[in-house]
């Protein structure tokens, strides 16, 4: 069966399978509407020191990024694996970051938790 699949389709199949396996890896968890996740330490508002960039990590696995007066500059989904966060913007843009000692380092920005 696989010997008759041409190269572009084989590459697509490999990519899909790899993505499925990566998403189901141990420790990989979408922050979702699961009631057990509402108290996850990373859910909430993360803000740059000047308040210009604001990330609202929601318990339903979605985020909203505000920039200055634009309250919904970017929106999409995210996944947290340990202290690593991955973002998928609704327009197709991707980014990542890392939580270290209560600070979110993302795309050259430093965000802290806003209580």
């Amino acid at each position: 069966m696989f010997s008759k699949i041409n190269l572009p389709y084989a590459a697509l199949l490999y990519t899909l399978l790899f993505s499925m396996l990566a998403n189901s890896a141990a420790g990989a968890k979408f922050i979702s509407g699961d009631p057990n996740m509402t108290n996850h330490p990373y859910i909430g508002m993360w803000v740059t020191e000047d308040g210009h960039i604001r990330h609202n990590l929601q318990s339903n696995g979605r985020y909203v990024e505000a920039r200055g007066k634009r309250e919904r500059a970017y929106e999409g989904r995210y996944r947290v694996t340990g202290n690593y966060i991955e973002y998928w913007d609704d327009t197709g843009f991707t980014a990542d970051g890392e939580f270290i000692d209560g600070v979110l380092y993302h795309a050259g920005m430093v965000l802290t938790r806003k209580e």
Side-chain angles (χ1 to χ4, degrees), residues 40-103:
H40 191 281
Y42 299 149
I43 291 175
M45 185 66 71
W46 294 83
V47 182
T48 56
E49 186 176 11
D50 62 4
H52 184 73
I53 308 292
R54 301 170 306 281
H55 285 196
N56 183 4
L57 303 180
Q58 302 170 351
S59 63
N60 63 359
R62 303 279 301 165
Y63 76 91
V64 176
E65 179 177 320
R67 289 182 173 243
K69 294 181 180 181
R70 292 183 61 203
E71 290 299 322
R72 297 184 93 78
Y74 299 99
E75 297 180 61
R77 63 186 175 91
Y78 71 95
R79 176 178 63 193
V80 173
T81 306
N83 291 328
Y84 179 71
I85 185 169
E86 296 172 276
Y87 297 88
W88 292 271
D89 185 84
D90 290 342
T91 65
F93 179 79
T94 61
D96 63 356
E98 187 172 13
F99 296 92
I100 301 172
D101 296 327
V103 176

Side-chain angles (χ1 to χ4, degrees), residues 14-26 28 79:
Y14 172 80
T15 301
L16 290 172
L17 289 173
F18 181 79
S19 176
M20 289 170 48
L21 290 173
N23 286 335
S24 66
R79 176 178 63 193

